[in-house]
Amino acid sequence: MDKLFLEQGYTSLNKKGEELCGDKVECISDGAHTTLVLADGLGSGVKANILATLTSKILCTMVSNEMSMDECVETVVQTLPVCKVRGVAYATFSVVHLGEDGKGWLFEFDNPEAILIRDGKCLDFERVERDILGKKVYGTRLELKPDDYIVLMSDGVIHAGIGMLLNFGWLRKDVKEYLDKSFRKGMSARGVACMLAGACNDLYMGKPGDDTTVAVVRAREYCPVRIMVGPPVEKDQDDFYISRFLGGEGKKVVCGGTSSQIVARHLGEKVSASFDFPDKDVPPIGYIKGIDLTTEGVLTLRKLLELSERWLSTSDLTPKHSEKKDGASLLANMLFEYATHVTFFVGQSINAAHQGLPIDTTMKLKLVESIAANLRLAGKQVELNYD
């Protein structure tokens, strides 16, 4: 089987009245393995946040360095004390450790049981109970297929609605039924996390009674996107530059009017413009045969940067996949929802059309670098080429 790309995303709701979340997600990807930890500190507020942070960092560091489950749990149990009043551990946790072949393991301590989404349906993992220093820890051997999802959650998810819309909260079977009904093929990991957390927020009527976190790991096949932004400095290098851009596999995007004309000429095609304005702040898209998406340049990139900030926010519960048809939204979907690897081809030529306008090459480069930084924060593999 080809190597899988392991995409992860999470979102959190703070307990009403708390500035800090008592849940913490930590993730380390070293290229060969991805390790993700969701820890839930006892109670809420500052103390819970500190304990969850300590737990997640200790576990993520140890697991990513291939320490055994027993060693990891023993370290956490011995490091963090037990509450004298309640007599329970100060933090619960779920840990996923996966290689590029989709194989790895999951272990859970006192968090709600993780859910596997396979072929659009929710399934339970086969768990083996282990006793480690008197703690019941459940382990699962993982062997993921393309488009499998692992959904981890803190207990704020299954407590949603208690005493408000529901008498006994949202049971785990209800969560599975909701995901079965609402899940759509191709959703990003962050999209699934936001969808489930948003449903919890609705049950809490916008006033969460507990810290609530959903973290999702998705196994994906390689989906590259190549994006050209601006023509090269040397005009006699146009064909060489475009050949490099077109030569790789994956979807192709061209940003900018001059770039579009150069690419169309190279392909022996014409640029046709759309006359639809789905968003008054974003110029209309264009069409070139052989190119997947053609957009205007700087204004579209500026809007894309704004959308990327919203996409990355762990407190933004809006759907991650936009149904809008403007150039920036279409580009955001392609880069943040579809792509696993993004390659930029950035031309540094001064655009004659921008003479007299507050737009220069430096602004364009800064926009591209900011977008590339946000793509990396989203877990994408990004390459920048300057010409």
Side-chain angles (χ1 to χ4, degrees), residues 28 30 33-35 59-67 97:
I28 295 177
D30 62 9
H33 291 88
T34 293
T35 305
L59 285 172
C60 205
T61 302
M62 293 185 72
V63 172
S64 64
N65 283 284
E66 303 294 340
M67 306 290 279
H97 182 64

Side-chain angles (χ1 to χ4, degrees), residues 289-300:
K289 187 177 180 180
I291 300 299
D292 296 283
L293 178 62
T294 304
T295 76
E296 179 273 341
V298 172
L299 297 177
T300 300

Side-chain angles (χ1 to χ4, degrees), residues 5 7 220 222-229 245 249-253 255 301 304 331-346 368-369 371-385:
F5 182 82
E7 175 183 279
R220 299 193 56 193
Y222 177 64
C223 295
V225 171
R226 298 165 75 83
I227 176 169
M228 176 179 167
V229 182
F245 162 63
E249 59 181 321
K251 290 185 179 291
K252 308 293 191 300
V253 180
C255 290
L301 291 175
L304 172 64
L331 190 50
N333 283 342
M334 189 173 289
L335 297 182
F336 285 88
E337 288 285 289
Y338 169 82
T340 58
H341 296 68
V342 180
T343 304
F344 285 91
F345 294 83
V346 187
V368 170
E369 287 168 2
I371 292 165
N374 284 349
L375 283 165
R376 290 190 180 102
L377 288 174
K380 314 295 182 181
Q381 298 293 316
V382 181
E383 179 184 338
L384 288 164
N385 297 287

